């Protein structure tokens, strides 16, 4: 297959983890005989410094013409001035909106080799295998914002408006429903319907779409505050979770602790299937931020970015065997004890970002043979999503 991938390294550890993700992509191309053409472009703080815009037109143009987008992370203290007119995060929100990426899939499948890195007891982590489907282009992050003097002259007043339409809720529910059908058939919808009007519309719409289009699914509704507790108390009960933008943002950082480190979790942001395409267009990125506290020191865990490449292969290019081979190479690497400091057990030797990336890439070829010859010889419990 020939495919064009837009790579947007971004800021902080973004370029470090994207470099390893591209090494993994090249290893897959060579093992399976594909031709992946990678074009790089600026986003976030690096783009502000070079062009004044967090999302330059050339970057958007490259992404629109690509088959998929691979992103690192954006942001950092250099661009954190609260009074700044342009901010790196505008690049991230802008690209999601411009490319119509409304569904963000965040799988959480703790690897046994990382159990010591999780604050939860190992028995709580056994059998945890969940995916959060987060709505990505609506809600409070995209609503009208204002800030100004308070009418009574005492201090200021700030407003962020949260809006959801029936159509926005329907389409993300369909992505989550279809995913749950391919998995264990359980869908949990998370909202705050006891307080928020948007959540009442959310709950009503999810209930109708599931009843009409996915009657086979077992549907559960949870309030977000209770869900935050259940995610730690009974994480193995969850299969697919669907929730709105801000709740998904917060709950997936919490869920990352099930996996031991935020550095190992990938994500896929999917839009509609483009005319003439066989798969949904998507942007793939680790869930972590630019981690300025460890940037430039070879400490960043590249696994989240590498597993994002596996999601890219699966969801954007339809290359299931390739995705599985890469996931198996990651599993194998972690199993061998090779991992960065964030994931290593206390006292264990930590590897650098590049060492982990090279170890995964070196294992891809061996797993490509296994995957081609046996549909079942893959990564332990099966694919990540
Ligand atoms: P963060 O995810 O960057 O870091 C949180 C903690 O996790 C830090 O201690 C960091 O060292 C650690 N960490 C993150 N990624 C890691 C990795 N790959 N390997 C090992 N450890 C890792 O979140 P933050 O500190 O709240 O934000 C830092 C900057 O990133 C901010 O400017 C924020 O706006 C931005 N941010 C960007 C994204 C994105 O680009 N998608 C997401 C979240 C935050």
């Amino acid at each position: 297959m020939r495919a064009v991938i837009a790579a947007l390294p971004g800021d902080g550890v973004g370029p470090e983890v994207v470099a390893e993700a591209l090494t993994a992509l090249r290893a897959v191309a060579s093992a399976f005989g594909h031709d992946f053409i990678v074009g790089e472009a600026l986003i976030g703080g690096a783009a502000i410094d070079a062009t004044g815009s967090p999302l330059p037109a050339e970057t958007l143009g490259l992404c629109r013409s690509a088959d998929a987008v691979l992103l690192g992370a954006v942001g950092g203290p250099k661009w954190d001035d609260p009074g700044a007119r342009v901010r790196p995060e505008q690049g991230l929100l802008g690209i999601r909106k411009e490319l119509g990426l409304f569904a963000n899939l965040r799988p959480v499948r703790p690897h046994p080799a990382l159990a010591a890195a999780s604050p939860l007891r190992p028995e709580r982590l056994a059998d945890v295998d969940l995916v959060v489907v987060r709505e990505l282009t609506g809600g409070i992050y995209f609503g009208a914002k204002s800030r100004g003097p308070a009418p009574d002259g005492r201090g200021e007043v700030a407003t962020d408006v949260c809006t959801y339409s029936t159509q926005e809720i329907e389409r993300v529910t369909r992505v989550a429903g279809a995913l749950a059908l391919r998995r264990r058939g359980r869908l949990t919808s998370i909202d705050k319907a006891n307080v928020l009007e948007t959540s009442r519309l959310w709950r009503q719409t999810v209930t109708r779409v599931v009843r009409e289009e996915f009657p086979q699914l077992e549907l559960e509704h949870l309030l977000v505050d209770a869900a935050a507790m259940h995610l730690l108390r009974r994480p193995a009960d969850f299969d697919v979770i669907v929730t709105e933008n801000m709740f998904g943002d917060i709950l997936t950082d919490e869920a990352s602790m099930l996996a031991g480190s935020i550095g190992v979790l990938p994500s896929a942001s999917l839009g509609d299937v483009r005319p003439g395409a066989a798969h949904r267009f998507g942007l793939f990125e680790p869930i972590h931020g630019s981690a300025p506290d460890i940037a430039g020191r070879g400490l960043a865990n590249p696994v989240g970015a590498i597993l994002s490449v596996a999601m890219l292969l699966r969801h954007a290019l339809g290359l299931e065997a390739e995705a599985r081979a890469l996931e198996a190479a990651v599993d194998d690497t972690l199993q061998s004890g090779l991992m960065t400091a964030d994931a290593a057990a206390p006292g264990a030797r930590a590897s650098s970002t590049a060492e982990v990336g090279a170890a995964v890439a070196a294992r891809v070829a061996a797993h490509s043979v296994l995957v081609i010859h046996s549909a079942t010889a893959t990564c332990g419990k099966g694919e990540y999503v």
Side-chain angles (χ1 to χ4, degrees), residues 11 22 39 54 120 130 134 149 205 239 244 249 263 311 325-326 348 379-380:
D11 308 317
L22 291 176
L120 264 73
L130 61 90
R134 166 188 169 196
T205 307
D239 179 10
E244 62 100 84
D249 192 10
M311 294 188 85
L326 184 51
C379 46

Side-chain angles (χ1 to χ4, degrees), residues 16-153:
E16 298 171 54
V17 298
V18 165
E20 302 314 319
L22 291 176
T23 300
L25 185 71
R26 279 191 289 273
V28 170
S30 133
F32 287 85
H34 297 303
D35 186 11
F36 297 137
I37 298 138
V38 177
E40 276 199 26
L42 295 168
I43 192 166
I48 294 175
D49 287 352
T51 71
S53 161
L55 182 59
E58 308 83 72
T59 300
L60 206 48
L62 173 70
C63 296
R64 286 195 204 283
S65 65
D67 295 294
V69 182
L70 178 68
L71 188 134
V74 302
K78 183 177 176 192
W79 306 279
D80 260 357
D81 175 5
R85 205 176 42 82
V86 284
R87 298 177 59 83
E89 293 73 18
Q90 291 165 344
L92 201 57
L93 296 185
I95 200 166
R96 290 169 181 167
K97 196 75 172 177
E98 289 291 335
L99 299 177
L101 306 170
F102 62 86
N104 182 224
L105 276 54
R106 296 184 164 197
V108 180
R109 185 168 75 88
H111 193 286
L114 269 66
S118 173
L120 264 73
R121 291 198 301 274
E123 62 269 25
R124 283 269 155 93
L125 299 174
D127 298 324
V128 171
D129 181 0
L130 61 90
V131 184
V132 179
V133 179
R134 166 188 169 196
E135 201 290 325
L136 204 58
T137 51
I140 199 163
Y141 291 0
F142 287 92
K145 298 174 192 316
S146 69
R147 182 167 166 176
D152 62 2

Side-chain angles (χ1 to χ4, degrees), residues 144-222:
K145 298 174 192 316
S146 69
R147 182 167 166 176
D152 62 2
R154 288 190 295 183
E156 293 181 276
V157 176
T159 311
D160 296 282
V161 177
C162 183
T163 307
Y164 268 110
S165 69
T166 301
Q167 186 257 342
E168 285 174 314
I169 303 166
E170 283 174 347
R171 64 184 183 177
V172 75
T173 304
R174 290 189 181 110
V175 170
L179 187 59
L181 274 189
R182 297 205 307 275
R183 290 173 48 99
R184 302 197 303 279
R186 290 205 65 186
L187 182 63
T188 304
S189 174
I190 295 176
D191 59 39
K192 188 70 182 165
N194 54 341
V195 177
L196 300 177
E197 206 52 49
T198 43
S199 278
R200 286 192 268 275
L201 179 63
W202 182 278
R203 189 174 286 215
Q204 188 187 340
T205 307
V206 170
T207 303
R208 174 177 51 75
V209 171
V210 170
R211 189 183 59 235
E212 290 174 0
E213 301 177 31
F214 304 95
Q216 315 89 315
L217 294 182
E218 185 189 331
L219 174 65
E220 169 189 37
H221 295 283
L222 285 181

Side-chain angles (χ1 to χ4, degrees), residues 13 17 71-76 80 89 92 96 261-263 285-294 299-301 342:
V13 298
V17 298
L71 188 134
V74 302
D80 260 357
E89 293 73 18
L92 201 57
R96 290 169 181 167
S261 167
I262 195 168
E285 59 178 321
I287 79 158
H288 63 76
S290 60
D293 53 334
I294 58 166
L299 294 174
N301 195 325
D342 54 295

